[in-house]
């Protein structure tokens, strides 16, 4: 059920849940269900200010599932990979978050039956090269190519490289 976290009633409800369940991680599917104004900068600003305070007070991580803008059907628009500007909605969405992962079926994926997993933003480390994933029989994702680079790529002098998340 949608809970608008940009409105006071939704904020009270979420805060109550946080007090009751004390989660380490909250996953919201999807961002459009968590706000009444996905493209409204003022509404998104309210929501992200609330979430920042909530995370600071309750000390938890939050992951949002969000669908990016659909590409046009013409071949030219499908030639370029997604970037941060393809994230649909207010600019606060990409400005406020620490990282953005993108799943995209590119032209070269269709023949291989893969999906490209790319990091479009990472506030705490360099952005790694994309990896190819494939859906298995249980509808989970398996890495088709090595994910070691994706997971560990960062500063070569870093003793503990990671995605920064």
């Amino acid at each position: 059920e949608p809970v608008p976290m940009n409105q006071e009633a939704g904020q009270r409800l979420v805060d109550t849940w946080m007090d009751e369940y004390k989660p380490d991680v909250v996953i919201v599917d999807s961002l459009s269900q968590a706000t009444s104004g996905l493209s409204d900068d003022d509404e998104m600003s309210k929501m992200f200010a609330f979430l920042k305070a909530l995370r600071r007070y309750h000390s938890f991580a939050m992951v949002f599932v969000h669908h990016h803008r659909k590409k046009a059907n013409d071949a030219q628009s499908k030639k370029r990979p997604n970037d941060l500007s393809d994230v649909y909605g207010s600019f606060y969405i990409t400005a406020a978050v620490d990282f953005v992962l993108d799943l995209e079926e590119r032209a070269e994926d269709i023949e291989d039956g893969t999906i490209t997993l790319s990091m479009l933003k990472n506030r705490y480390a360099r952005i790694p090269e994309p990896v190819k994933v494939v859906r298995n029989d249980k509808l989970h994702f398996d890495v088709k190519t090595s994910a070691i680079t994706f997971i560990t790529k960062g500063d070569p002098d870093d003793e503990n490289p990671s995605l920064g998340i």
Side-chain angles (χ1 to χ4, degrees):
E1 185 171 326
V3 177
M5 289 189 258
N6 60 323
Q7 297 176 358
E8 194 174 322
Q11 292 174 354
R12 281 195 308 270
L13 180 59
V14 170
D15 192 37
T16 301
W17 288 339
M18 298 305 295
D19 283 333
E20 183 177 347
Y21 298 110
K22 300 180 182 358
D24 292 320
V25 177
V26 173
I27 300 172
V28 177
D29 186 5
S30 75
L31 180 59
S32 64
Q33 297 295 305
T35 180
S36 59
L38 196 59
S39 295
D40 185 321
D41 290 343
D42 291 336
E43 294 302 311
M44 294 308 293
S45 176
K46 285 181 202 173
M47 185 177 93
F48 281 109
F50 163 71
L51 292 174
K52 183 177 182 179
L54 189 72
R55 287 181 55 227
R56 187 177 300 127
Y57 182 78
H58 290 285
S59 189
F60 69 99
M62 183 165 243
V63 175
F64 281 99
V65 174
H66 180 56
H67 301 275
H68 54 69
R69 113 181 56 232
K70 302 282 187 240
K71 288 191 175 182
N73 249 349
D74 65 330
Q76 192 63 23
S77 69
K78 293 186 181 214
K79 283 184 181 177
R80 104 181 147 70
N82 285 335
D83 60 26
L84 214 47
S85 68
D86 288 308
V87 176
Y88 174 73
S90 165
F91 77 93
Y92 277 101
I93 297 169
T94 56
V97 299
D98 293 330
F99 69 95
V100 176
L101 293 173
D102 180 61
L103 285 171
E104 173 187 17
E105 187 178 58
R106 297 181 180 173
E108 70 267 15
D109 289 321
I110 295 169
E111 188 175 306
D112 296 336
T114 58
I115 299 171
T116 300
L117 172 63
S118 305
M119 183 168 277
L120 302 181
K121 177 181 179 178
N122 189 348
R123 192 179 301 274
Y124 303 109
R126 285 189 221 149
I127 294 179
E129 293 298 316
V131 295
K132 302 292 184 177
V133 295
V134 63
R135 293 299 282 282
N136 64 26
D137 293 339
K138 295 181 181 177
L139 299 180
H140 292 135
F141 290 104
D142 292 328
V143 177
K144 183 157 182 176
T145 57
S146 172
I148 301 301
T149 336
F150 192 78
I151 294 169
T152 63
K153 192 168 189 175
D155 188 339
D157 298 327
D158 189 353
E159 291 179 19
N160 299 305
S162 70
L163 287 176
I165 55 176

